[in-house]
Amino acid sequence: MLSSGQVLQNRYRIMAPLGQGGMGAVYRAWDNRLNVPVAIKEMIPQPGLAPQMLDALRRQFHQEATILAQLSHPNLVRVSDFFEEGGNAYLVMEFVEGHSLADLIATYGPLPEAQVLDWAGQLLDALAYCHARGVIHRDIKPQNIIIRSDGRPVLVDFGLVKLWDPRDPRTQTVIRAMGTPEYAPPEQYGVAGHTDPRSDLYSLGATLYHALTGQAPPSATDRIVNPAALQPPRRISPQVSPSTEAAILRALALQPEARFQSAAEMRAALRGGAPPATVTPPRPSPPPIPETVPAAAPAPARPFPWLWVGVGAGAVLLAGLCCLVLMMSNLVQPGAFSLRASPTPTSTSTPTWTPTPTASPTATPVPTHTPTATPVPTPTFTPTPSCPPVSGPFAALWQRYPDRLGCAVNQAHSSWMAQEHFERGQMFWREDNDRIAVIYNNGSWALYRDIWNEGDPEYSCLDANTPAQSPPTPRRGFGKIWCTYPAVRQGLGWATDYERGFHGTVQDFDRGTILRTDAGETYILFGDGAWIRP
């Protein structure tokens, strides 16, 4: 067991344990190099394991960790490092703050269908991304889905190989004692062949069943013994729509051939049978969930709202049975994805609940003044039947994304702009509308009002953690946003250059904006919170 204050690799300082199981533990730690909180998963080898098998398991762990580090998706936790020290293996991941879906179910009971389906669509996008790269998650359950304060679900804690003999009875005992069989398909027990992408769809279906009914479904083994054990969701929660019930029951089929054959197919069914679109349309704003828990509501089931790591719960469920199966044979090509640490972006939408993040002891403090800067909420857009043709320098780009951008609301025009780069993104300011766009390297962005005026404080946020490089913090309007909103500060990291001004070109649309810098860099900011550089 690691102790608080212990440093691994001369870089990661252990802060506190988050969970412990029979095969390892998870800790909250501080990355002294990047000055960000991280989660570190420790895997302890089984005592007495044959050296040949231990070497094979370690090689498999390194292979899987390398591929996971190449994944980059807004709904997946980022793996930033892995190493061995003191005979144990360690995986370093992004520290995701928020509430686990399990905690929300325990607090509120059955959740609104529209909200659950919105989360399901995003998670299925993430699974489609993984499956296309030969990666199977193998441990989807409410404890491993974190709902951030901006409402975005993040899928965490992949079922990595464990350094235990899958044939050893002790491994089986740990699985039975600490696992979560309600969400595991029968093939993960060796009952119906090997795991594949359809196994993840079963687990997600079980998770959606739990979220909509407030009750976990019976395990696959219980259903094999008693096929009537699984009650249809509408029998428990009549408000669930028939189409959603049918989709969940199909995902929960015991035979893989009877389930959805792909994440895109399941996503289409949950949308009411519409065919999967090439471009994902903007997601509607979710219905509100009460911010105040009623007096009779049960307390959250976990002591930490973001205790997603779950080593003692489901991370070990598949430890022995799936040790050598995470990837399909067609592995990801080396170097295909960025290995940069993931930012923690904010969102312009108003969260449906407000969790209290756990601040790191060395996190930059929020200024004591009362900020007046406010984020600009992202509106809910309705489809536009037709738009007049767009002319000008962005006409060709608009023709590629008419559904995501909508109709033009002005002509392409010149505007004085400012730009500043950060470790994990950048900021843009436009003089013509006095707004600041915060753009994160993971493909998301948020819009803020810039209410800084000449003569106002520069909001430098200097503290004891200021790095030696210059400039350590942004100034002026960028500084006001960066200092006022901790999520922006944590998501972007430190400034890497100074603010610069230039004449750029910009055009606004119903559902987005296109801007071009004086260096010819073009950015498309979609109204659904995503951005691209075409």
Side-chain angles (χ1 to χ4, degrees), residues 53-178:
M53 176 167 285
L54 180 59
D55 289 342
L57 291 174
R58 280 175 168 160
R59 287 194 299 270
Q60 181 70 6
F61 167 77
H62 291 166
Q63 181 185 50
E64 295 181 3
T66 299
I67 294 176
L68 291 181
Q70 297 173 342
L71 299 179
S72 178
H73 190 280
N75 301 108
L76 295 177
V77 69
R78 291 298 305 271
V79 172
S80 58
D81 195 8
F82 62 91
F83 56 88
E84 286 193 39
E85 186 169 316
N88 298 336
Y90 295 90
L91 192 73
V92 182
M93 295 162 285
E94 170 192 9
F95 185 82
V96 182
E97 290 191 1
H99 290 275
S100 74
L101 182 58
D103 288 347
L104 296 178
I105 297 171
T107 301
Y108 298 105
L111 302 177
E113 180 177 353
Q115 177 69 87
V116 172
L117 293 185
D118 178 66
W119 291 333
Q122 297 181 59
L123 295 172
L124 284 164
D125 285 342
L127 288 179
Y129 172 87
C130 290
H131 296 164
R133 289 153 180 81
V135 177
I136 305 171
H137 188 280
R138 297 189 307 175
D139 200 13
I140 299 171
K141 57 187 178 183
Q143 293 89 339
N144 281 347
I145 297 172
I146 302 304
I147 309 299
R148 291 161 28 104
S149 60
D150 61 12
R152 174 158 55 95
V154 179
L155 188 57
V156 302
D157 205 10
F158 282 76
L160 270 174
V161 65
K162 309 300 187 298
L163 306 181
W164 283 58
D165 186 349
R167 300 164 298 184
D168 192 290
R170 286 173 291 180
T171 303
Q172 304 300 322
T173 300
V174 170
I175 292 173
R176 286 194 297 269
M178 307 183 68

Side-chain angles (χ1 to χ4, degrees), residues 101-279:
L101 182 58
D103 288 347
L104 296 178
I105 297 171
T107 301
Y108 298 105
L111 302 177
E113 180 177 353
Q115 177 69 87
V116 172
L117 293 185
D118 178 66
W119 291 333
Q122 297 181 59
L123 295 172
L124 284 164
D125 285 342
L127 288 179
Y129 172 87
C130 290
H131 296 164
R133 289 153 180 81
V135 177
I136 305 171
H137 188 280
R138 297 189 307 175
D139 200 13
I140 299 171
K141 57 187 178 183
Q143 293 89 339
N144 281 347
I145 297 172
I146 302 304
I147 309 299
R148 291 161 28 104
S149 60
D150 61 12
R152 174 158 55 95
V154 179
L155 188 57
V156 302
D157 205 10
F158 282 76
L160 270 174
V161 65
K162 309 300 187 298
L163 306 181
W164 283 58
D165 186 349
R167 300 164 298 184
D168 192 290
R170 286 173 291 180
T171 303
Q172 304 300 322
T173 300
V174 170
I175 292 173
R176 286 194 297 269
M178 307 183 68
T180 47
E182 295 85 356
Y183 312 100
E187 60 267 25
Q188 292 189 178
Y189 297 96
V191 175
H194 299 291
T195 54
D196 63 24
R198 296 170 297 184
S199 305
D200 281 346
L201 302 185
Y202 180 101
S203 298
L204 182 60
T207 298
L208 300 180
Y209 181 103
H210 194 171
L212 291 170
T213 66
Q215 300 180 18
S219 68
T221 53
D222 288 342
R223 294 175 56 199
I224 293 173
V225 174
N226 178 17
L230 179 66
Q231 297 188 58
R234 284 169 53 81
R235 189 174 299 172
I236 304 171
S237 296
Q239 68 274 15
V240 176
S241 67
S243 61
T244 296
E245 178 185 70
I248 290 176
L249 291 177
R250 181 176 175 186
L252 287 172
L254 293 176
Q255 294 297 328
E257 295 77 12
R259 301 175 203 151
F260 298 105
Q261 301 302 294
S262 69
E265 186 182 0
M266 182 173 175
R267 183 177 55 201
L270 289 173
R271 287 177 177 172
T278 303
V279 178

Side-chain angles (χ1 to χ4, degrees), residues 357-444:
T358 303
S360 166
T362 54
T364 304
V366 179
T368 55
H369 68 280
T370 301
T372 52
T374 55
V376 179
T378 302
T380 301
F381 299 106
T382 54
T384 304
S386 61
C387 297
V390 173
S391 59
F394 301 136
L397 287 177
W398 177 82
Q399 290 174 1
R400 290 166 58 184
Y401 307 100
D403 294 332
R404 297 188 71 182
L405 286 171
C407 301
V409 299
N410 55 30
Q411 297 294 322
H413 59 282
S414 176
S415 175
W416 181 252
M417 299 184 182
Q419 180 185 23
E420 187 165 9
H421 292 88
F422 295 78
E423 292 174 310
R424 296 183 291 277
Q426 55 187 305
M427 286 192 188
F428 283 99
W429 168 76
R430 289 172 51 184
E431 184 181 51
D432 61 334
N433 68 359
D434 208 26
R435 298 289 189 269
I436 287 178
V438 179
I439 298 178
Y440 301 96
N441 287 347
N442 75 335
S444 64

Side-chain angles (χ1 to χ4, degrees), residues 285-473:
S285 299
I289 292 178
E291 296 187 24
T292 303
V293 181
R302 295 283 185 264
F304 298 99
W306 31 255
L307 187 50
W308 51 263
V309 290
V311 167
V316 300
L317 172 63
L318 313 178
L321 300 174
C322 304
C323 277
L324 301 180
V325 182
L326 175 65
M327 314 302 158
M328 293 179 176
S329 57
N330 53 338
L331 297 176
V332 181
Q333 295 297 321
F337 300 96
S338 169
L339 300 181
R340 297 185 62 179
S342 171
T344 307
T346 187
S347 170
T348 57
S349 60
T350 302
T352 51
W353 53 82
T354 307
T356 303
T358 303
S360 166
T362 54
T364 304
V366 179
T368 55
H369 68 280
T370 301
T372 52
T374 55
V376 179
T378 302
T380 301
F381 299 106
T382 54
T384 304
S386 61
C387 297
V390 173
S391 59
F394 301 136
L397 287 177
W398 177 82
Q399 290 174 1
R400 290 166 58 184
Y401 307 100
D403 294 332
R404 297 188 71 182
L405 286 171
C407 301
V409 299
N410 55 30
Q411 297 294 322
H413 59 282
S414 176
S415 175
W416 181 252
M417 299 184 182
Q419 180 185 23
E420 187 165 9
H421 292 88
F422 295 78
E423 292 174 310
R424 296 183 291 277
Q426 55 187 305
M427 286 192 188
F428 283 99
W429 168 76
R430 289 172 51 184
E431 184 181 51
D432 61 334
N433 68 359
D434 208 26
R435 298 289 189 269
I436 287 178
V438 179
I439 298 178
Y440 301 96
N441 287 347
N442 75 335
S444 64
W445 72 285
L447 191 65
Y448 293 82
R449 291 186 178 91
D450 173 27
I451 44 106
W452 184 88
N453 298 304
E454 290 292 340
D456 285 351
E458 290 197 341
Y459 296 91
S460 58
C461 299
L462 296 177
D463 65 10
N465 299 312
T466 301
Q469 68 266 28
S470 179
T473 66

